[in-house]
């Protein structure tokens, strides 16, 4: 089932039908339902999931912070018996006038499950006669979003259901699907209308992104479905075919990725556009992206980070002084009015204040601006006591503004 956050994806499948022979041209398919109310029918049911902490009833249609799940006609679910060749189920078209939902039903027909056997399931189906249930493939390369559609997500929403025995009545099995990867919504603002977007690339310091790998359907429920990487990369690219229609338009790019812990890291975001080799270079604050969860990331200009910022209605002067043997870290910098970043030195008077003339500080100092509060520290002071100063931003940007 296509579930996107907290996706334990309760896909209940009661299945009855597996072929004992194969066809070289096409793997066997379980027959479709003839009577939806048949008590021996096999049923797939979608479930709730959590989207960044709020429980929702959802599809792969994404609205605001909601990711709603429903099957798409033609989706194929692979079923792997403990012995013999796999089969697949094809999600049928809805009844006339109906809409696709989070449920689908199948009839076992003349097929039967083997007694004392177990069956595993996965999605999307892979046409491979010798597919090993301990090495089901995943591949996150080649994702492409057309317009603001989310139609591309289904092919990368890898899901697995662990092996289960046929039920005591010999009539079927119930599969509980879990999602293997994470869903990401990346939002950013494009300054100009009629900008033709081509791709979005996320990159990290190390080879953090799993682009190809396998997972084991027999793994423990407590372990999730950890991916064994066969290919990694410093970056993950999603192609985009979209032209903005307004100035300062907010664009959202949707993609799936293997679980990755980017918490405490700044992720570089390069957005290619136009016919020339042009790009917007943004950053985003990383998160720990866990399998079966959905995450919203906001890409922004590095100048938009929440630097420690001082503002005043009128002209003001700041100076930073040091005590005892303390020496300011070499990485500490300041910028006035959005100007160039300059090394911050002790006892230098910095004039700021007035409309659009804020003072920003940043650094990559493990101790910030002090070793301890009683000795070896620095003090920020303002010379004009008649001009109030407001302080905003995140003080951790003095410790490491790229990973604050």
């Amino acid at each position: 089932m296509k579930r996107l956050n907290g996706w334990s994806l309760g896909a209940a499948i009661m299945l009855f039908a597996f072929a004992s022979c194969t066809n070289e041209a096409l793997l066997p398919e379980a027959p479709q339902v003839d009577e939806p109310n048949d008590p021996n029918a096999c049923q797939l049911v979608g479930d709730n999931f959590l989207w960044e902490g709020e429980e929702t009833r959802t599809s792969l249609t994404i609205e605001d912070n909601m990711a709603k799940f429903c099957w798409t006609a033609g989706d194929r679910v692979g079923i792997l018996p403990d012995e013999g060749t796999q089969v697949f189920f094809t999600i049928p078209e809805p009844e006339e006038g109906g809409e696709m939902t989070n449920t689908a039903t199948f009839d076992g027909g003349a097929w039967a499950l083997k007694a004392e056997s177990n069956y595993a399931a996965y999605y999307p189906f892979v046409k491979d006669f010798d597919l090993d249930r301990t090495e089901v493939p995943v591949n996150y390369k080649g994702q492409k979003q057309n317009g603001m559609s989310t139609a591309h997500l289904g092919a990368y929403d890898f899901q697995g259901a662990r092996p289960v025995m046929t039920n005591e009545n010999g009539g079927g099995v119930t599969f509980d699907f879990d999602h293997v990867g994470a869903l990401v919504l990346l939002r950013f603002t494009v300054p100009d209308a009629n900008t033709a977007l081509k791709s979005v690339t996320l990159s990290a310091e190390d080879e953090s992104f799993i682009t190809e790998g396998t997972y084991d359907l027999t793994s423990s429920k407590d372990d999730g479905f950890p991916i064994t990487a066969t290919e990694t990369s410093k970056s993950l690219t999603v192609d985009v075919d979209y032209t903005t229609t307004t100035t300062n338009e907010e664009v959202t790019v949707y993609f799936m990725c293997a679980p990755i812990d980017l918490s405490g890291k700044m992720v570089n975001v390069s957005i290619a556009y136009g016919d020339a080799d042009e790009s917007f270079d943004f950053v985003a604050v990383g998160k720990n992206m866990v399998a079966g969860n959905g995450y919203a990331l906001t890409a922004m200009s590095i100048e938009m980070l929440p630097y420690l910022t001082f503002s005043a209605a009128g002209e003001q002067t700041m100076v930073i002084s040091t005590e005892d043997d303390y020496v300011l870290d070499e990485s500490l910098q300041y910028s006035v009015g959005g100007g160039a970043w300059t090394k911050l030195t002790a006892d230098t008077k910095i004039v700021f204040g007035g409309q659009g003339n804020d003072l920003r500080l940043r650094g990559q100092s493990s101790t910030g601006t002090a070793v301890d509060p009683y000795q070896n520290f620095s003090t920020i002071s303002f010379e004009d006591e008649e001009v109030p100063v407001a302080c905003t931003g995140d003080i951790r940007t003095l410790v490491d503004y790229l990973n604050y």
Side-chain angles (χ1 to χ4, degrees):
M1 310 269 74
K2 301 174 183 170
R3 192 158 113 124
L4 304 181
N5 188 333
W7 302 349
S8 66
L9 206 21
I13 251 191
M14 306 211 22
L15 80 96
F16 307 93
F18 298 114
S20 59
C21 60
T22 63
N23 181 308
E24 291 184 358
L26 184 66
L27 290 170
E29 178 178 10
Q32 301 299 322
V33 65
D34 293 319
E35 300 178 17
N37 295 323
D38 183 346
N40 292 325
C42 107
Q43 187 174 355
L44 291 78
V45 182
D47 201 358
N48 292 349
F49 68 85
L50 298 179
W51 174 260
E52 297 209 327
E54 182 178 353
E55 188 171 11
T56 59
R57 186 75 178 174
T58 56
S59 88
L60 277 184
T61 300
I62 298 173
E63 302 170 356
D64 298 325
N65 281 344
M66 220 186 263
K68 299 179 65 178
F69 162 80
C70 71
W71 287 107
T72 299
D75 279 348
R76 291 179 174 181
V77 178
I79 312 296
L80 284 163
D82 52 357
E83 294 182 0
T85 301
Q86 66 169 329
V87 296
F88 65 86
F89 284 161
T90 299
I91 305 299
E93 294 282 353
E95 294 183 8
E96 186 175 352
E99 295 182 354
M100 297 305 301
T101 67
N102 64 336
T103 63
T105 306
F106 305 89
D107 178 12
W111 293 18
L113 293 171
K114 292 186 294 185
E116 300 181 356
S117 295
N118 66 68
Y119 299 86
Y122 70 96
Y123 173 86
F125 169 73
V126 177
K127 184 181 174 182
D128 183 348
F129 287 102
D130 298 319
L131 186 67
D132 188 334
R133 61 166 68 182
T134 66
E135 294 183 342
V136 179
V138 298
N139 186 330
Y140 291 99
K141 298 186 296 185
Q143 298 184 61
K144 182 174 182 178
Q145 176 174 312
N146 291 306
M148 291 296 99
S149 170
T150 59
H152 61 290
L153 294 176
Y156 298 89
D157 181 17
F158 302 101
Q159 303 167 45
R162 291 170 179 79
V164 288
M165 298 293 294
T166 53
N167 63 33
E168 60 184 9
N169 298 321
V173 294
T174 299
F175 289 130
D176 184 10
F177 281 81
D178 290 316
H179 293 254
V180 177
L183 168 68
V184 180
L185 281 68
L186 179 70
R187 297 187 175 101
F188 54 90
T189 299
V190 179
D192 300 315
N194 302 316
T195 300
L197 303 179
K198 301 300 183 183
S199 66
V200 173
T201 299
L202 277 68
S203 58
E205 294 180 359
D206 304 317
E207 289 196 354
S208 304
F209 296 95
I210 296 176
T211 50
E212 290 189 47
T214 62
Y215 68 96
D216 183 355
L217 285 170
T218 66
S219 62
S220 167
K221 180 77 171 179
D222 295 335
D223 296 334
F225 282 125
I227 297 175
T228 300
T230 56
E231 180 180 303
T232 60
S233 175
K234 293 182 179 179
S235 62
L236 179 65
T237 297
V238 179
D239 291 332
V240 180
D241 185 359
Y242 180 70
T243 301
T244 58
T245 58
T246 61
T247 299
N248 293 325
E249 179 176 344
E250 183 180 78
V251 175
T252 303
V253 173
Y254 312 95
F255 59 93
M256 296 285 186
C257 70
I260 179 173
D261 188 359
L262 294 174
S263 56
K265 297 182 180 180
M266 198 62 69
V267 180
N268 293 315
V269 182
S270 180
I271 301 165
Y273 68 94
D275 296 327
D277 187 17
E278 300 175 293
S279 66
F280 301 114
D281 294 317
F282 293 161
V283 292
V285 179
K287 297 181 180 181
N288 182 16
M289 294 185 283
V290 178
N293 289 274
Y295 300 91
L297 302 182
T298 300
M300 53 190 169
S301 164
I302 197 168
E303 293 304 309
M304 295 171 60
L305 293 176
Y307 300 115
L308 186 65
T309 302
F310 300 108
S311 57
E315 185 175 290
Q316 180 61 279
T317 301
M318 186 210 82
V319 62
I320 185 167
S321 56
T322 57
E323 302 293 334
D324 300 318
D325 297 326
Y326 183 73
V327 177
L328 287 179
D329 191 279
E330 292 285 321
S331 71
L332 293 170
Q333 297 176 312
Y334 73 92
S335 170
V336 177
W341 288 95
T342 304
K343 181 179 177 180
L344 182 63
T345 56
D347 302 320
T348 297
K349 294 185 177 183
I350 303 171
V351 179
F352 70 100
Q355 185 69 29
N357 212 32
D358 295 344
L359 168 62
R360 296 179 298 168
L361 304 181
R362 73 181 187 185
Q364 291 180 296
S365 166
S366 60
T367 59
T369 57
V371 174
D372 61 62
Y374 304 107
Q375 60 183 3
N376 295 323
F377 61 90
S378 62
T379 302
I380 290 176
S381 59
F382 303 96
E383 291 190 346
D384 193 337
E385 296 182 358
E386 300 300 318
V387 179
V389 176
C391 180
T392 57
D394 194 323
I395 198 170
R396 292 171 295 182
T397 56
L398 295 181
V399 176
D400 189 345
Y401 67 92
L402 290 178
N403 295 296
Y404 67 91

